[in-house]
């Protein structure tokens, strides 16, 4: 009896989606570096209110650039938490007066290097239960 392959049983492997929102600074642009890693897909969206209509699926991580005013940053995080509760949120932001801890997983300062930003993203993605993330219905 021939055994079915594991790949057939699992189906196709979906890419790990990372969505960047806001206006990035040149040294924060991650697409080229992250696209060199097999299995990752990066999307950009300037306006967080359009995320639900432009992005289909469940992102593994959303990177929020520091281009939002404080209230809009909070609204973006609340929207993401409500829409995709298992998605990791990484914020690039300086300053002490910030968001509630429950609204994001991690933050880095605006002077973060591109390589350090990639390391932080990879660390956060490793903490996700990808099977659970893909099994969640919207």
């Amino acid at each position: 009896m021939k055994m079915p392959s594991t790949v057939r049983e699992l189906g196709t492997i979906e890419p790990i989606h990372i969505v960047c929102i806001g206006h990035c600074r040149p040294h924060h642009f991650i697409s080229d570096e992250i696209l060199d890693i097999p299995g990752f897909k990066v999307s950009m969206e300037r306006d967080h209110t359009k995320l639900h209509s432009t992005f289909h699926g469940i992102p593994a991580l959303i990177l929020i650039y520091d281009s939002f005013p404080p209230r809009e940053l909070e609204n973006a995080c609340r929207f993401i938490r409500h829409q995709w509760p298992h998605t990791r949120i990484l914020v690039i932001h300086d300053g002490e007066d910030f968001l509630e801890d429950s609204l994001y997983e991690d933050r880095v300062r605006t002077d973060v290097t591109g390589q350090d930003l990639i390391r932080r993203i990879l660390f956060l993605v490793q903490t996700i239960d990808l099977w659970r993330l893909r099994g969640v219905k919207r």
Side-chain angles (χ1 to χ4, degrees), residues 33-82:
E33 290 91 354
I34 209 82
L35 287 176
D36 288 340
I37 302 171
F40 283 83
K41 182 177 180 180
V42 178
S43 303
M44 296 289 294
E45 179 60 60
R46 299 243 188 252
D47 182 358
H48 77 275
T49 61
K50 296 180 182 176
L51 262 179
H52 185 62
S53 61
T54 59
F55 185 78
H56 305 289
I58 301 170
L61 182 134
I62 295 183
L63 175 64
I64 302 176
Y65 295 110
D66 66 335
S67 59
F68 294 109
R71 186 69 182 153
E72 195 172 341
L73 176 63
E74 182 177 343
N75 289 342
C77 289
R78 287 188 189 285
F79 172 81
I80 293 162
R81 278 287 182 250
H82 176 73

